[in-house]
Amino acid sequence: MSAIITANLTKKYGGLTAVDNLNLTIEKGELFALLGLNGAGKTTTIKMLSCLIRPTAGDAVILGESIRTNPNAVKQKVNVSPQETAVAPNLTVFENLEFIAGIYGQRADSARKSAEVMSTRLGLGDVLGRKAKLLSGGMQRRLSISMALISNPQILFLDEPTLGLDVVARRELWALIKQLKKQVTIILTSHYLEEVEALSDRIGVMTKGRLVAVGTTAELIEQTGAANLEDAFITLSGGVV
Amino acid sequence: MKVFLFAKRNTKEILRDPVNLLFALGFPLVLLFLFSVINSAIPAEANSTMFAIEKTAPGIAAFGTAFFALFAGMLLAKDRTTSFLMRLFASPMTARDFIFGYTLPLPVMAVAQVCITFLAAALLGLPLSANTLLTVLVVLPVSVLFIGLGLLCGSFLNERAVGVICGAVLTNVVGWLSGIWIPLDLIGGAFKQTAVILPFYHSVEAAKDAIGGNFTGIIPHLIVVLAYAATVYGLAVVAFSYKMRSDKV
């Protein structure tokens, strides 16, 4: 079974079409990257797929459940790490993890255990008792991803996970995301081409709300006759190399 | 279950912010102390009870709950602007979980604040009695009014705007129009008429009547407060539910 199948998924804000008839299939265990310029529709797509906003038209089926007719079932199967670092600042790392596990239905003892396991797995063991607001940007982002993973989602949406991080923190997060590959289906948005190239199995390029190309890095380069992914992306985005 | 987990998280967020504690506990105590100093400076022959502890303490107790508008509004606005709320909207939490989760900790904190205010007032000469407990109950709907106001502002405004409206503006409006700083009869006219239309004066009068044992006097004031509290809180619920369904958190 595919993880995600979208059918003419569309989102309009007044006269502006943010996502235009998106037709896309993402397989289970795949790391799929959505690439696009600002305003291309990447974040809007993720918001629709995670049931944060309703599509204007079309539908998406997530692990057999429609985002239109059964958003609650979808919410149990997916989780999101938003673009901004979405953590509770005055709660400790452990409390943040325990809280999210709890609201996804884990009992108190199970939530505590999950928080311990997740913090160890994601390298947060040494800062468990520290308030989230006192962590570095990289560690906050790590916590944010841990909070998305603690509900054991089958699909994880990572919206620009390394935005604003320094090069070391970014590489650490790459290593973390590589660890997660195959265990969970990941949909990642990013502006960083080297990140997309290093992490993704397939790439979808969005321009002005439309999906203009889908394929592996090699396929996109071949399709555009470009020398590298950056040139391929610029060509697909309507720019001049 | 989820609602209690969320309420627990919100309690920690509020109580772990030292600025909140300073406002919630410090400001009413400072006011109490100042009024006590003013009262002791008034010569006995003036025969004035304007700043007597029996008059000021219930007013300060009611006024102090205005800070809960700031706490509720700031917390919600911060959750919205940092995308924390977006993360939670993607979870299986319902609108009811959110609204009660934001609300529940605050009346409990308000009761604690009012009790501390009265204990401090007792040290300054206020006799504690069953009427003190009644006053705590009377102040409870006042806190709900302010919590509703905070949630209403927090649903639409950013932290900075909430800080201005629910902090500086609201505390001044409540302070002046409730009559705790200057008795409204001394000013009269349109000022008093405006104050009587709004709930703040009635919240202070209800608290004064409660502590003074004037039980029949409480009801008319409390009815005004309850009507405002129900309306404002209802509007906050509608605003939050709208925000939850809208495209922009």
Side-chain angles (χ1 to χ4, degrees), chain A residues 11 84 86 90 95 144, chain B residues 2 13 16 83 87 89 247:
Chain A
K11 183 67 188 178
E84 298 83 5
N90 281 320
E95 287 168 339
S144 185
Chain B
K2 285 171 195 156
E13 281 290 344
R16 288 179 184 176
S83 291
R87 177 191 285 285
F89 280 175
D247 289 339

Side-chain angles (χ1 to χ4, degrees), chain B residues 56-68:
Chain B
T56 57
I60 291 168
F63 167 76
T65 59
F67 290 110
F68 289 92

